[in-house]
Amino acid sequence: MQNKMSVLQAQQAGERAMARCDSLAMISETEGQLTRVYLSAEHLRANHLTGQWMKEAGMNVWQDEVGNICGRYEAQTPDAPAILLGSHLDSVRNAGKYDGPLGVLTAIETVSWLNAQQIRLPVAIEIIGFADEEGTRFGITLLGSKGITGRWPACWPAQPDGEGITVAQAMQSVGLQAENIARAARRWDAFIAYLELHIEQGPCLEQAGLALGVVTAINGARRLNCSFTGMAGHAGTVPMTHRKDALAAAAEWMVFIEKATCEADPLLVATVGTLTCEPGAVNVIPGEVRLSLDIRGPEDDPLAKLLATLLQEADQIAARRGLSFRAEEYYGIQATTCDPALRNAFSEAVTEVQGQSLLLPSGAGHDAIAIAECWPVAMLFVRCAGGISHHPAESVTTADVSLAIQAYLQAIIKVAESAGSVNSRNAENV
């Protein structure tokens, strides 16, 4: 019996995972593109196919009350807690193949290998293909992972999509019932850890020449709607010294945002993604400008400090120019720190398979954010070409995926054996 996946086995597992990503990418509501949203016919087809692969890997399979596809590979003893693996099966519109599904399919490969070697661990392994992480259809994110944590807000079933169909109505159309949502929640002792594999969605690994990296934290984020209000006026008759130009104020602030963020911390990012001017005529001084601000970072305190600095500067710019400034935060999520012990398990595994381990934060959100509210989490990143994601050009190599499966499996075994040792010591002390 082997206790490690061979290079050949890893290559075969990587090829199989890549081929399955291709198969899932064919399940789309839009021909020639990949779009797969929550509670659609395509969602159920993806669940069915993924469930078949879970069964082939030796798992018991079911779909839960919020539409997650779940599989369990039993431990050495019945009713043992589990290590949870997985990612999401939904997509943004016109997506790439690997954001989400790669994490589910590589997890299945680790269980498939254990099953082929007839290895049972001290803890069970569960894999979940989460039903909705992206929030594409209903504008609310992490529905699948928040389902198993029992953290669905009471208002979510009434949330409509773009066609006015509510979550509850969409659930009913696919054979689920909104009144059963709470049954998806798992007990606090069901899992000892959550380990998620995901493409990096950034350029750091590629720039470092490395296939794999280990996530330190998932960035917290704040999103704000902001506005500068001045005075519209004739572009030819109002002297420059008398103007209250809202666009000029916004432009000055945008330059400050870039400069201050670069100087604050290399791990902090800030983006002005939308900008609208009123009245929007070529011969009229802009009287009002509305713009968005998205600011992210792996630690909450530096993030809050930078945001305060940016908003203070906006107020000062407005006051100096005789304008008013408003900002309203409409979205906020705290930074999620990965568990040190789980992170170390990933780092040791990555060092073993690629010679070194790179630690880096995640700028994007993941199901691990929701899971971390109840259980310790860690994440493994796989290099993606150009750091491109949420785009058809999203790309990973079979060689990198094969290496990732090796590291993933080694970390799973290490975490499982550590849990078994703790359980043994506790039993001896009873």
Side-chain angles (χ1 to χ4, degrees), residues 85-370:
L85 315 176
S87 193
H88 59 97
L89 293 175
D90 68 311
S91 78
V92 297
R93 298 194 180 279
N94 197 19
K97 299 177 184 178
Y98 306 106
D99 175 1
L102 185 67
V104 180
L105 301 177
T106 51
I108 292 172
E109 289 301 327
T110 66
V111 171
S112 181
W113 184 88
L114 291 170
N115 188 51
Q117 304 302 315
Q118 299 183 335
I119 295 174
R120 297 284 173 175
L121 301 173
V123 295
I125 296 177
E126 291 197 21
I127 298 174
I128 297 182
F130 289 112
D132 185 306
E133 186 252 25
E134 301 286 7
T136 303
R137 180 174 182 182
F138 294 99
I140 44 180
T141 61
L142 305 172
L143 288 94
S145 43
K146 283 188 175 289
I148 72 162
T149 65
R151 306 295 174 93
W152 266 49
C155 61
W156 275 10
Q159 178 75 12
D161 66 9
E163 297 179 355
I165 299 170
T166 67
V167 171
Q169 290 169 337
M171 294 183 80
Q172 188 172 24
S173 72
V174 298
L176 300 173
Q177 301 299 325
E179 56 265 29
N180 294 334
I181 287 169
R183 296 181 186 176
R186 306 298 296 275
R187 289 169 49 94
W188 67 269
D189 56 355
F191 305 120
I192 62 167
Y194 174 63
L195 304 177
E196 180 173 358
L197 181 151
H198 206 280
I199 62 170
E200 182 195 353
Q201 299 178 276
C204 296
L205 288 173
E206 187 174 66
Q207 290 175 358
L210 296 172
L212 309 176
V214 179
V215 178
T216 55
I218 303 169
N219 282 358
R222 307 288 186 274
R223 294 176 187 168
L224 298 89
N225 288 321
C226 308
S227 65
F228 286 93
T229 302
M231 179 68 71
H234 196 292
T237 61
V238 180
M240 298 299 291
T241 54
H242 288 66
R243 297 187 176 201
K244 296 181 179 181
D245 188 329
L247 182 55
E252 181 180 347
W253 190 46
M254 288 167 65
V255 172
F256 179 83
I257 289 170
E258 182 181 54
K259 181 174 184 293
T261 305
C262 288
E263 293 175 349
D265 187 321
L267 298 179
L268 290 168
V269 293
T271 304
V272 174
T274 66
L275 185 74
T276 59
C277 299
E278 297 292 346
V282 66
N283 60 346
V284 181
I285 300 162
E288 182 178 23
V289 168
R290 296 186 295 276
L291 64 165
S292 62
L293 176 63
D294 181 305
I295 178 171
R296 308 185 190 203
E299 296 183 40
D300 290 323
D301 288 346
L303 184 65
K305 183 178 179 181
L306 175 61
L307 180 57
T309 298
L310 299 183
L311 294 179
Q312 181 181 37
E313 180 66 16
D315 283 330
Q316 292 175 353
I317 290 171
R320 186 170 65 250
R321 291 174 171 270
L323 287 76
S324 63
F325 172 77
R326 290 183 65 255
E328 179 183 2
E329 182 175 317
Y330 67 92
Y331 173 85
I333 191 166
Q334 300 300 303
T336 300
T337 302
C338 291
D339 179 80
L342 299 180
R343 189 181 66 207
N344 289 341
F346 265 143
S347 289
E348 290 175 13
V350 169
T351 299
E352 185 167 343
V353 302
Q354 81 173 5
Q356 68 180 100
S357 177
L358 177 69
L359 299 176
L360 68 167
S362 172
H366 303 284
D367 288 297
I369 293 172

